[in-house]
């Protein structure tokens, strides 16, 4: 009962013009190879990283198990000097640790004030930013954030979507990325922006029977690869080796469509949030009716939503 697996296509030497003309409008993930990313791909060894930015403190996720679970929050937040963190994340067994000797580490940089400021490698890690050439396949004013990520080998990040387009730039190490199309949302058992199905390789079909219908897209990112993840595409990431990556998010919609308080790029557009609130109120109103009426009018509402808002080209 496995899901069908679709290989995410890989393309070599894609120019900005070709990306914007042929790839971007299709709104599907693609791996871009042979991009000019600067000296980071060769320079960013454990030694170099740990001395380049010194001992500034970073807040990290620490997990006793490889599969991080956002629901049960099976990880803790801890603070370490950056140089200590990099060395620890690169080890398999730790002499010094918080939870266990084989705990996993994950850094996702945030702004100076995580509630108000976006992550921007140029501000948080200016020395390292010098080594990176970000592919600017979007306009300067569309830029939203550049998120620096470092993961221990084996760490798995839960399936989630972001509301902005992004490039996942794999600088060092190897990752496996599993993706699901926005059209498969009925099969993904969402809780907010995240899927409750944590183990995408051995899912519990008793608990999540519809998940078998979700079409699984998959790719492996080697050092120097760039994965284009369109907005609302779900992704689940395993770091097969200790590795460093950089995500660049940009605004696909006009700036005013996004929630101004969103510093992570994962709050639904304001119109979508309003629509969901209105729908919740409508459903609450239906509760005033007896069950058979409620069922009848709920089905009619679903039909209206399908008729008014669904795209015709994918059922």
């Amino acid at each position: 009962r496995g899901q069908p697996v679709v290989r995410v296509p890989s393309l070599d030497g894609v120019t900005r013009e070709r990306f914007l003309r042929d790839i971007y409008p299709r709104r599907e993930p693609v791996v871009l190879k042979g991009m000019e990313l600067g000296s980071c791909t060769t320079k960013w060894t454990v030694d170099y990283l740990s001395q380049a930015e010194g001992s500034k403190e970073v807040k990290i996720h620490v997990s006793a198990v490889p599969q991080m679970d956002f629901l049960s929050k099976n990880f803790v937040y801890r603070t370490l000097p950056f140089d200590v963190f990099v060395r620890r994340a690169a080890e398999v067994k730790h002499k010094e640790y918080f939870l266990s000797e084989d705990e996993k580490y994950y850094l996702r940089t945030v702004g100076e004030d995580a509630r108000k400021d976006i992550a921007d490698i140029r501000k948080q890690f200016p020395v390292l930013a010098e080594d990176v050439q970000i592919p600017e396949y979007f306009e300067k004013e569309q830029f939203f954030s550049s998120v620096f990520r470092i993961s221990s080998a084996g760490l798995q990040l839960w399936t989630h979507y972001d509301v902005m387009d992004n490039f996942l730039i794999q600088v060092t190490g190897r990752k496996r990325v599993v993706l699901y199309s926005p059209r498969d949302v009925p099969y993904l058992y969402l809780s907010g922006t995240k899927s409750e199905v944590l183990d995408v390789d051995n899912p519990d079909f008793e608990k999540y029977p519809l998940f078998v219908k979700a079409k699984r897209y998959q790719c492996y990112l080697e050092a120097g690869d760039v994965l284009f993840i369109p907005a609302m595409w779900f992704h689940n990431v395993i770091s097969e080796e200790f590795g460093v990556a950089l995500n660049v998010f940009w605004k696909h919609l006009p700036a005013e469509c996004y929630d101004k308080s969103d510093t992570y790029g994962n709050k639904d557009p304001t119109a979508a949030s309003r629509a969901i609130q209105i729908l919740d109120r409508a459903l609450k109103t239906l509760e005033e009716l007896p069950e058979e009426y409620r069922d009848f009018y709920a089905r009619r509402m679903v039909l209206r939503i399908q008729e008014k808002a669904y795209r015709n080209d994918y059922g």
Side-chain angles (χ1 to χ4, degrees), residues 181-246:
S181 159
R183 72 187 71 171
D184 279 348
V185 71
Y187 318 130
L188 296 177
Y189 298 88
L190 283 204
S191 173
T193 59
K194 305 165 183 79
S195 166
E196 291 177 18
V197 186
L198 284 172
D199 192 341
V200 294
D201 298 306
N202 298 291
D204 180 344
F205 287 123
E206 301 279 288
K207 197 173 175 187
Y208 307 115
L210 294 175
F211 188 65
V212 75
K213 294 185 173 184
K215 189 196 271 188
R216 174 187 176 124
Y217 291 73
Q218 186 170 295
C219 60
Y220 289 88
L221 299 181
E222 308 290 345
D225 288 350
V226 176
L227 172 61
F228 167 52
I229 306 176
M232 295 171 314
W233 272 76
F234 294 84
H235 42 290
N236 177 292
V237 183
I238 291 186
S239 297
E240 300 214 322
E241 302 166 342
F242 162 77
V244 183
L246 185 66

Side-chain angles (χ1 to χ4, degrees), residues 271-284:
S273 299
R274 283 204 314 275
I276 289 165
Q277 284 168 357
I278 295 165
L279 177 64
D280 286 342
R281 286 207 300 276
L283 293 170
K284 192 104 189 84

